[in-house]
Amino acid sequence: MKQIQILNGRLVDPLQGTETQADLFVAGGQIVGVGSAPAGFVAEETIDARGLVVAPGLVDFAARLREPGQEYKATLASEMAAAVAGGVTSVVCTPDTDPVLDEVGLVTMLRQRSKTLDLARVYPVGALTRGLKGVEITEMAQLHEAGCVAFSQGDVPIADLQVLYRAMLYAANYGFELRLRPEEASLVNDGVAHDGPYASRLGLTGIPVVAETIAIAQITQLMRATGCKVHLARVSSAAGLELIRAAKREGLKLTCDVSINHIHLVDLDIGFFDSQYRFDPPLRSVADRDAIVAALNDGTIDMICSDHAPVDDDGKLLPFAEAERGATGLELLLPLTLAWARQQHISLPVALAKISSTPAKALGFAAGLAVGQRADLLIFDPEGSWYVLPEKLKSQGKNTPFIGHEMIGQVKYTLVKGKLVYQG
């Protein structure tokens, strides 16, 4: 590994909540000096970060990498390239591949493949039930030993609460965390959009907020009974956030995240059936979006994820109700988070904590800029302007409602394990 000096940068440490103008020194995959080089340090490479922000690499808590089995949508190679181009150095991948990540061999293969690519770090989330069918609990202990950091059903809720109860007892016994997207399937049926006036005018079948709140109520009740740690994924409603606030005040071991798309978009943005705006959970009302922003500001929402979901053109160029859900997001996580921070007058260390140090802590490591910490680094121009164009995206999926939009915040360099893996 090269010894690298990063000079003249604005160091933003979200772990400590600080901003300083100083040089940074990297060797052996770690930060070895801040401000001044350690004795014997001889730089083999120099990065001039004048006018740029130097920060810990981003940690994306929810991304679909599509491999194995869905390489027509994306490959691990394409999405790892997208990750580092977006400054994401750690990617938590969901288990809803084909086959799903419910066996040790599949998890081992994924981890080995990611190590061979040697770009971003990959943290697999194992399937909670075999085939995500919600019937038979997986061997969580074995999957954990193989490298799974938590267990999830992806976007497929468990219909049988007895199965979920047993899974939570199992997880609590081992100290594992479950990551659940709160949704009561019987209230969703064939819904495709937020159940509100706009969906009614368009003739789209609605998904009511109560589908989320009932699921949150059930999950928190089971948490009380089992002591299980739970992370609620991609909360979308004001009412759901109120339940989460109450559960946190009670002291339940509960955290949650929100998709970057739900911070900026609402159901009205669907326009005339634009399938780029079809998400799961659906884009909700302006009031729900405002509640999400407020919950980010007050700390109820712990972190922001990209909810990265690359889809091929065949999956998106369909009528709204038939189109696949989701959008590419790894390369947009940074600028869209910065846009929220500017709109809400949030400081850079606080904003970056939502996409770096907080999710990193949940994974068991520190994402900061102190000596001895990982040299997983992001160097970006906070005022750099670029346009989201299909040909500019590294991800194989070009599907996003932000195509054609100007973004402020441009990644210049990404380092993983002290190695320069991207230069823009």
Side-chain angles (χ1 to χ4, degrees):
M1 294 181 183
K2 288 184 178 179
Q3 298 191 68
I4 301 174
Q5 58 182 2
I6 303 169
L7 306 180
N8 309 310
R10 174 185 164 196
L11 306 190
V12 176
D13 187 339
L15 190 61
Q16 302 298 326
T18 59
E19 290 190 51
T20 55
Q21 194 76 27
D23 300 333
L24 197 70
F25 301 88
V26 170
Q30 293 185 328
I31 297 171
V32 296
V34 180
S36 58
F41 182 91
V42 178
E44 299 170 84
E45 188 168 350
T46 298
I47 296 174
D48 186 357
R50 191 181 309 275
L52 305 178
V53 169
V54 181
L58 307 188
V59 180
D60 194 346
F61 222 57
R64 293 158 196 82
L65 302 181
R66 302 305 193 194
E67 191 176 323
Q70 298 174 337
E71 288 84 357
Y72 64 95
K73 294 180 181 178
T75 65
L76 194 59
S78 68
E79 303 322 288
M80 290 297 95
V84 296
V88 177
T89 55
S90 296
V91 179
V92 179
C93 63
T94 58
D96 46 356
T97 49
D98 183 18
V100 302
L101 298 180
D102 60 1
E103 293 183 2
V104 167
L106 293 169
V107 175
T108 302
M109 180 181 67
L110 176 65
R111 294 186 69 208
Q112 288 176 342
R113 175 111 167 83
S114 68
K115 286 179 181 178
T116 300
L117 290 169
D118 200 22
L119 293 171
R121 301 175 193 255
V122 172
Y123 292 85
V125 173
L128 185 55
T129 61
R130 293 198 178 279
L132 299 178
K133 294 178 180 178
V135 176
E136 183 183 356
I137 299 168
T138 57
E139 295 290 347
M140 285 187 260
Q142 293 179 14
L143 290 170
H144 176 73
E145 288 179 8
C148 289
V149 296
F151 299 91
S152 167
Q153 279 293 105
D155 289 325
V156 186
I158 293 177
D160 188 340
L161 288 181
Q162 179 65 31
V163 175
L164 182 56
Y165 177 59
R166 293 202 312 270
M168 291 175 80
L169 284 171
Y170 184 140
N173 185 54
Y174 284 91
F176 300 153
E177 181 181 79
L178 301 191
R179 297 188 184 160
L180 305 174
R181 194 167 75 74
E183 184 176 83
E184 172 50 49
S186 64
L187 291 169
V188 175
N189 292 322
D190 57 352
V192 297
H194 170 60
D195 188 18
Y198 194 67
S200 296
R201 287 201 295 273
L202 294 178
L204 296 174
T205 306
I207 300 174
V209 165
V210 72
E212 180 168 284
T213 55
I214 284 179
I216 293 172
Q218 290 174 336
I219 290 166
T220 51
Q221 284 282 57
L222 291 172
M223 289 177 69
R224 293 182 187 99
T226 62
C228 184
K229 295 187 294 184
V230 172
H231 177 84
L232 293 178
R234 303 185 297 286
V235 180
S236 68
S237 69
L241 288 165
E242 280 304 310
L243 292 175
I244 291 169
R245 278 195 185 91
K248 286 189 166 191
R249 285 195 297 265
E250 184 185 333
L252 294 182
K253 293 180 283 189
L254 181 67
T255 56
C256 68
D257 67 48
V258 66
S259 157
I260 192 66
N261 301 294
H262 287 70
I263 298 172
H264 294 285
L265 304 173
V266 297
D267 59 343
L268 298 175
D269 293 316
I270 292 171
F272 290 103
F273 309 100
D274 188 340
S275 62
Q276 296 291 356
Y277 292 83
R278 187 172 179 199
F279 290 95
D280 197 1
L283 297 172
R284 297 211 179 269
S285 69
V286 172
D288 289 313
R289 191 271 314 277
D290 291 347
I292 285 170
V293 171
L296 275 170
N297 296 354
D298 68 22
T300 301
I301 296 175
D302 300 276
M303 57 194 82
I304 301 168
C305 69
S306 73
D307 195 22
H308 179 70
V311 176
D312 64 328
D313 287 344
D314 289 344
K316 273 295 181 183
L317 298 179
L318 290 169
F320 187 90
E322 299 171 27
E324 286 197 48
R325 298 161 291 185
T328 189
L330 283 165
E331 295 162 86
L332 302 180
L333 182 59
L334 175 66
L336 289 176
T337 299
L338 295 177
W340 157 68
R342 287 192 301 271
Q343 292 161 7
Q344 298 297 312
H345 307 289
I346 304 293
S347 71
L348 201 49
V350 171
L352 290 179
K354 297 287 187 184
I355 52 176
S356 60
S357 58
T358 300
K361 183 179 179 182
L363 292 174
F365 69 92
L369 297 180
V371 171
Q373 290 174 345
R374 292 179 172 186
D376 292 358
L377 301 171
L378 159 65
I379 303 173
F380 68 95
D381 181 353
E383 305 301 327
S385 170
W386 60 285
Y387 285 87
V388 183
L389 300 173
E391 62 270 20
K392 293 289 183 68
L393 296 174
K394 302 289 186 184
S395 172
Q396 190 170 311
K398 312 301 181 183
N399 53 301
T400 169
F402 294 101
I403 287 290
H405 288 233
E406 182 184 21
M407 295 287 152
I408 306 298
Q410 191 169 28
V411 176
K412 294 296 186 181
Y413 305 91
T414 304
L415 287 81
V416 178
K417 305 172 190 174
K419 174 187 172 183
L420 186 63
V421 293
Y422 175 78
Q423 182 171 351

